[in-house]
Every structure is written in structure tokens, then in C-alpha cells.
Amino acid sequence: MDVLAQLLIALFALLTIILLALAAQRLLGVRFGAVRTLVAGLAAFLLAQPLLGPLLTAMNIPADGQVPDAGALGVLLLATMAMVLIPMVLLVLAEALVPPGSLPGPVELLRSVRGRVSRARRYSQITRIAIKHGLGPYLRGRGERLEDRTGKVRLARSLREALDEGGVTFVKLGQVLSTRRDLLPAEFVEELGRLQDQVVPAPWAQIEPVLVAELGAPVEEVFAAFDRTPLAAASIGQVHAARLPGGEDVVVKVRRPGIGRVVAKDLDIVRRLAATLESRTRWGRSLGLRDLAEGFAAAIREELDFRVEAANMAAVTAPQPPANAEGAPRVRYPAPMTALCTEQVLVMRRLSGRPVTDAAPEDGPRLARDLLDCLLRQILVDGVFHADPHPGNLMLLDDGALGLLDFGSVGRLDAAVRSALQRFLLAMDRQDPLGVTDALLEVVPRPEDIDEAALERALGQFMARHLGPGMDSVQMFTDLFRIVTAYGLSVPPEVAAVFRALATLEGTLVRLSPGFDLIGEARAFAGRHIAERAEPAAVRETLTQELAALLPMLRRLPRRVERIASAAEHGRLAFNVRLLADERDRRYLTGLLHQVLLTVLGATSGVMGVMLLANDGGPQIMPGATLYHLIGYNLLMISAILMLRVLAPIFRRRPESED
């Protein structure tokens, strides 16, 4: 056989494989990957001879391919459908057993192996740390249940020491958990609150290349002066003092080199560990560790990108008068220098002051009141609020005002949520259980089977217990979260951020002013806010906005009422209702009817084929096979093709539009 003949045979084989693959995909009505489809066509081409040979032999087809004239068309049709059926079966089986994306490609496989090796080393290190601090049984879900305070304190201390030794990501995780009084006992909250994010500063030789790469020029060209000794250092970044060419003092926050890779690896481990603990332990399921881990991962990824923090500061910071001007704000924020802010470098105006913990005792109540007013106004009025107001993020400025720092964690509320929170707090102030219940169910998604009467009674008892003078506000937040959890209410992330911020704020206020009356001061703020809204200018602005929204509707209302009255008077009033007006509904119903119709046709063809094969009558078209047998075989093939077309979309993991 010469080369040309071999080339023609190979070309014919390739064309046959492509035609089989395309025909199978077309008949199934589902798009498959090109590689998967061609492999199925190749397998069908290779299997055709072994599978169809016995079929033709059983029907007494001569070896030379000569068939009786009466059965030629039927046998040809049967063989063709059998060849197309093979790749269809293979594609459906592959879709059911090996869905797209379940097996990585060569490059992904190599990366996966390298990632698994690296992750295994980190797993081993974390496991050794956990076992070292006595946490091994709890990772396996076999830890003892501690009821006494001494045991809880001991376990909380072990957890804090293990997280501290685990590194930056686990320290951040512990700090986040220390604000979740709704999830953890008080002993754990208190112990985890001692985690400090202070580390040894990175040397200037590592920091300078980051600054040059991010700013696009040497440090000496961008800044008139730059202090190479950091003011403070944390696990993610460190802060340096500098001066711009115009003479303005600024603070430069630089991300540590290589911290992104470390955090990404640890976040992957945290997510996997949370999923394992949630599936294997009772306490993991009760805490919802998987959702907690995802929320934590999103928050720390934002904290790694200093552009997010710059945007947060710009959103919170309003144009402020100078510190010595009339009406200067009592809480100020460092404004970002947007032109110099990048993913790894944040430049902001420097606030001059000292740690807020150095404030004189007599200034504590004033500072606590200013901070509470500031945060409540951010939450209830502005809609953008600092979500982590702990003492480390506060400064006592030289003029006696407060400085609020570190806007890596900021919450945002839309107008509807702010309005519902305002009604919630006002109803709490009036001790109105019905109003509190209605407002709470506007803030959180309403479950279908909630017992509103029982929830109203629980909230009434909660207010009677906690809204008196001198009550413990820490326990108030804890009990409120217990009620929310007990009645199956799912708190949205933005609302959970509000409660976490308030819980953190409470600890800061107590630190500034022991015995600070949080509830009383919050009521005073509510009174001032209501008074502001009742001022003539505010009322006039509100009425103007409402009238501007209502005026177009009021203008059209008389004409529409007249039309309705006229139609009713003359007996022409009718209602038009369009069923399935939405295109998505029509498409879904059409697809469902197609599936039902194909199922019925496939089942009918199969039953008819079996009945014909069981019937020995009919004209003899070839030795050992009658016309009824040939038609029965063809009907079985048609039935198999139709049923495979029904099954193929069922095994798809994703909608066809995503392929």
C-alpha cells in the first residue's frame, strides 16, 4: 500500500470520527468540550467493527457485504444508528461519571501537586502547633465538653497561644473571633481579645524595593523626607513617617514583601479546615464554620489591598474644617493621598497625637461620648462606618479630639437597612416589643415558619431585662444574638458587621471611661437625631423630596380614575392577565414539555421495538430475520437515542449557556 493510499485512509478515518462526534453531540442537544467529543468519536470508530461485526454475522450477512435487496436499507440504517449510538452512550457516561472540570489538565495537575505538597507541609506545621497546645482532640471532634469556667479559660488560653504561634492569618482569625460574642463564650472572647498584631519590623532593604516598584520612582524623588525607622509594625504592613515636597506631613503604610502568598496559602487551609470541622464536629456545625471562614477570607483579602482602605477612608471622610475652626469635628480621620496609593502602599495625612489609652481619666467620658456619637452617626445616618473601633485604632490628638485610624475594615448600609435600624433602635428606646419585632424582621430575612408571637415575647423579656439603668451592655449584645439564633434568623453580613462594630465599641468605651452608660448615651443620641430631623429645614427637605417623587403620579391619577369610572359605567371594565408573560417562564415550560415528549416517544419506541422482536411473523427479508425484527431493532435504537437525549442535560453540572 503506497503512501497516498494510507493518507486517504487516515483522512477518511479522521472524517468519520469527526462526523460521529458531531452527530452524537447534535442528537444529544448538549454542547460538550472539543476534546471530550473527539475522544468519544474516536472510541466509537475503534469499537464499531468489534461491536457491529457480531450483529451483522447474527443476521447472516455475507462476508463480502452483499445483503438481500429487501433488507439493505433497514440494515444500513440500523448499522448507522448503532455507530452514532456508541459515542452518545460514551458522552452521557462521561458526563455522569467524570463531569467537566472534575479532572484537571496537565498544567493544573502540576500546579495542584505542587500546591498539595506545600499545603501538606503547612498542615503538618499547624497540626504540630495544635497538638503542642492540647487542641488535637478538638480537631478530631473528640474533645471533652467543658461546662465549668476553669476548663473554658484553660481551653481559651490554649487556643489563643496556638493562633498566636500560627502566624499572621491565624492571629487575624483570632481577632475576628474575639468580636463574635454571639458565637463564642465570654471566656474565649476575653482571651482572644489579648491577641496583639505586633511583630518585628521588616528591614529597610526589603521595604525599599516595594516602595520603588509601587511608586515608580526612588523614595527620595517622591518624598522630601522619609524616616526609615517605622512608627509601628504589624503582620501585614508597617508604617513610616514622611514629608511630601509641599511640606505636608504624611504617614506611609507599606505591605510586607511576600505576605500575599503566605496569607493565600493559610486562607486555603482555613477554608478546608473549616469545612472539615463543620462536617465532622457538632460544635463546628453549630457555629457555621464554613460561612465564617468565607467571610473571614473575604475580609482579609480586602485588608491586603491598600486601595480598598484608601477608598474606605475617602468614603468615610467628609470635607472637614481645620482643627482650630468653628465647628471642627470631635473625631477626625486621616485623608488618603489618592495619587500615591497603590495595592501595596498607602499614603495618608498624618494626625499628630498619642495613644488614646494615655488620656487623662477626667477626659474619658467626653472621649467615649464623642466616639459613640461618631459611630452611631456613621451607621444610622451616613451608611459607611468603621467596623473595628478598638483602642489600637484610636489616637488622642494634640487638640484633644479623637483620631480614628485603620480603615481596612469598613461596613456599608443602604438606605432601607439604615431606616430599619433606626426604627429598631427607636422601638427599643420606647420598649415596644411589637415595633422591635417588626423592625428586626425588616433587617434580617424573614423565615417562612417563624413564630412571631413567641419572638415578640422573647424580645419583650430581653428589653425588660437589659434596658434599665446600670445594666450590662456586653451581656445585652450576647442575649440579643442568642434570640436571633434561637428563632432561626439569618443575619446579613452587613448587619452582622454593625453588631460586631457595636460590640467592639462597647469594650473601647469601657476602656476609655469605666462605668460608661452606653444605653443612656445611645438614647440621648437618638433624641438628638430625632430633634435634627424635626427641624424646619430638615422637614422641608424631606417634604420636598417626597413631593418630587409623588408629583408625577398625582398628575396622572385624575385621568386614570376618570378612565376607570367611564369603563365601569359603560360595562367595558375588564382585567387582562397574561399567563407566562416572562420569557424565562415560557422557556422553562417549553424545555420541560420537550423533555416529557422525548421521554414518552422514547418509551413508546422501546415498547414497540420489544413487541416486534417478540413477534415471529412478517415477511422474511434475510435468513433468521423478518421485517418485524428489523423494524424492532431500529425502534430500539431510536428509543436509546431519545432516552440518551433526555439523560444528557440531567447530568450537566452547569447550564448550557455557561459552556
Side-chain angles (χ1 to χ4, degrees):
M1 184 180 295
D2 57 9
V3 177
L4 181 59
Q6 293 179 353
L7 184 61
L8 290 175
I9 293 175
L11 185 61
F12 175 76
L14 179 61
L15 183 61
T16 304
I17 292 171
I18 294 175
L19 290 176
L20 286 173
L22 293 177
Q25 181 170 263
R26 180 66 177 173
L27 288 173
L28 287 174
V30 176
R31 292 178 57 191
F32 298 92
V35 175
R36 179 172 295 215
T37 307
L38 289 176
V39 168
L42 175 61
F45 180 79
L46 297 176
L47 293 174
Q49 176 62 32
L51 293 180
L52 295 181
L55 173 64
L56 298 177
T57 302
M59 301 185 73
N60 295 325
I61 300 299
D64 58 2
Q66 297 296 324
V67 296
D69 293 339
L73 184 60
V75 173
L76 179 61
L77 178 62
L78 181 62
T80 303
M81 286 194 295
M83 288 188 66
V84 176
L85 186 64
I86 294 173
M88 292 178 65
V89 172
L90 294 176
L91 285 174
V92 172
L93 288 177
E95 199 70 22
L97 301 178
V98 190
S102 59
L103 293 179
V107 178
E108 290 79 5
L109 184 60
L110 179 60
R111 291 177 180 173
S112 176
V113 171
R114 293 174 56 187
R116 286 177 182 272
V117 172
S118 176
R119 191 164 55 244
R121 289 199 296 264
R122 184 62 170 151
Y123 266 132
S124 177
Q125 182 183 5
I126 294 172
T127 303
R128 287 198 302 270
I129 294 174
I131 294 175
K132 171 184 174 182
H133 294 281
L135 301 177
Y138 293 92
L139 294 179
R140 296 190 298 268
R142 300 175 183 174
E144 58 178 331
R145 299 187 64 181
L146 301 175
E147 303 295 340
D148 61 307
R149 174 176 170 77
T150 304
K152 290 181 180 179
V153 170
R154 185 173 62 252
L155 179 60
R157 186 181 301 113
S158 298
L159 177 61
R160 190 255 302 168
E161 293 172 351
L163 292 175
D164 200 4
E165 188 174 346
V168 49
T169 308
F170 295 94
V171 170
K172 292 289 184 184
L173 178 61
Q175 291 174 342
V176 171
L177 291 176
S178 69
T179 67
R180 297 304 302 265
R181 290 184 172 91
D182 56 316
L183 299 178
L184 297 178
E187 295 82 4
F188 286 82
V189 171
E190 180 180 354
E191 190 66 37
L192 294 179
R194 299 177 182 176
L195 284 170
Q196 298 296 319
D197 196 16
Q198 299 294 329
V199 297
V200 178
W204 174 251
Q206 297 179 9
I207 294 298
E208 185 178 16
V210 177
L211 285 168
V212 173
E214 292 294 305
L215 298 177
V219 176
E220 294 77 11
E221 295 183 9
V222 179
F223 301 99
F226 195 98
D227 189 356
R228 299 185 177 187
T229 303
L231 297 173
S235 53
I236 288 181
Q238 59 191 52
V239 177
H240 293 259
R243 182 178 297 112
L244 295 177
E248 187 171 11
D249 290 330
V250 295
V251 169
V252 182
K253 186 176 179 182
V254 188
R255 201 174 80 181
R256 284 178 174 269
I259 194 65
R261 294 190 300 272
V262 175
V263 171
K265 185 189 303 181
D266 282 352
L267 285 179
D268 181 56
I269 292 175
V270 167
R271 284 195 294 264
R272 293 172 183 271
L273 185 60
T276 301
L277 291 176
E278 184 170 333
S279 62
R280 296 183 181 180
T281 64
R282 181 173 54 252
W283 63 269
R285 286 188 294 273
S286 64
L287 292 180
L289 287 184
R290 193 192 302 267
D291 292 338
L292 281 177
E294 291 298 333
F296 168 70
I300 200 170
R301 277 195 298 267
E302 284 192 357
E303 194 171 344
L304 285 173
D305 190 346
F306 289 168
R307 293 171 300 185
V308 175
E309 185 172 351
N312 291 339
M313 280 193 291
V316 172
T317 305
Q320 301 180 23
N324 56 0
E326 184 69 22
R330 293 171 293 181
V331 179
R332 294 201 292 277
Y333 325 115
M337 314 298 292
T338 308
L340 298 176
C341 294
T342 68
E343 182 180 357
Q344 301 186 53
V345 175
L346 174 64
V347 182
M348 50 192 161
R349 291 187 176 91
R350 184 175 183 180
L351 298 179
S352 179
R354 59 188 189 278
V356 73
T357 52
D358 294 344
E362 58 270 18
D363 292 334
R366 174 183 62 82
L367 296 175
R369 191 177 304 110
D370 291 345
L371 179 60
L372 177 63
D373 284 359
C374 172
L375 196 68
L376 289 179
R377 184 168 294 277
Q378 287 179 358
I379 293 173
L380 299 176
V381 180
D382 301 332
V384 182
F385 61 93
H386 195 295
D388 192 19
H390 63 77
N393 288 335
L394 292 170
M395 286 182 62
L396 180 61
L397 304 182
D398 293 337
D399 61 354
L402 276 174
L404 193 55
L405 312 175
D406 193 357
F407 287 82
S409 178
V410 167
R412 288 178 171 82
L413 303 174
D414 57 37
V417 175
R418 294 202 305 271
S419 178
L421 282 174
Q422 290 173 8
R423 290 193 295 273
F424 178 79
L425 294 178
L426 290 175
M428 289 269 287
D429 182 55
R430 298 193 307 269
Q431 298 195 29
D432 176 13
L434 180 59
V436 170
T437 303
D438 292 341
L440 180 62
L441 293 178
E442 290 183 30
V443 173
V444 303
R446 179 191 295 264
E448 295 182 358
D449 55 349
I450 187 172
D451 187 347
E452 291 192 32
L455 176 61
E456 182 181 339
R457 289 193 298 271
L459 289 173
Q461 296 172 0
F462 163 79
M463 288 185 289
R465 185 182 306 114
H466 292 290
L467 294 186
M471 293 299 178
D472 184 2
S473 55
V474 176
Q475 188 63 33
M476 179 184 72
F477 283 113
T478 302
D479 288 351
L480 179 59
F481 272 109
R482 285 177 179 171
I483 293 175
V484 168
T485 304
Y487 284 87
L489 301 178
S490 176
V491 181
E494 64 273 13
V495 178
V498 172
F499 287 116
R500 287 198 301 271
L502 292 176
T504 305
L505 175 67
E506 192 277 336
T508 303
L509 296 177
V510 172
R511 183 85 173 269
L512 289 174
S513 177
F516 184 76
D517 186 6
L518 173 61
I519 298 173
E521 293 296 335
R523 286 177 169 173
F525 171 84
R528 291 193 298 272
H529 178 60
I530 294 174
E532 290 177 3
R533 294 176 60 184
E535 291 180 355
V539 173
R540 183 165 53 252
E541 181 181 358
T542 303
L543 289 176
T544 301
Q545 294 175 352
E546 294 295 333
L547 284 175
L550 287 174
L551 192 59
M553 182 182 67
L554 294 175
R555 188 180 301 161
R556 293 190 300 266
L557 186 59
R559 185 167 62 254
R560 292 182 175 179
V561 171
E562 192 276 334
R563 289 178 180 176
I564 294 174
S566 176
E569 180 181 359
H570 295 88
R572 297 193 305 268
L573 184 62
F575 296 94
N576 293 326
V577 179
R578 293 184 59 189
L579 296 176
L580 303 175
D582 194 332
E583 173 63 27
R584 292 171 298 178
D585 294 338
R586 294 196 298 271
R587 189 164 56 246
Y588 171 76
L589 184 59
T590 301
L592 186 62
L593 289 175
H594 286 172
Q595 292 293 91
V596 172
L597 181 59
L598 289 174
T599 303
V600 172
L601 291 176
T604 303
S605 300
V607 172
M608 292 175 62
V610 171
M611 293 175 62
L612 288 173
L613 289 176
N615 192 337
D616 294 330
Q620 192 85 10
I621 62 172
M622 64 184 67
T626 66
L627 178 61
Y628 290 170
H629 292 161
L630 187 59
I631 296 175
Y633 282 122
N634 280 277
L635 286 175
L636 286 180
M637 289 293 177
I638 294 173
S639 174
I641 291 174
L642 293 176
M643 298 310 293
L644 287 173
R645 185 180 176 95
V646 172
L647 291 175
I650 295 176
F651 291 120
R652 295 296 281 176
R653 275 187 168 183
R654 299 170 298 171
E656 184 179 339
S657 59
E658 296 181 8
D659 290 349

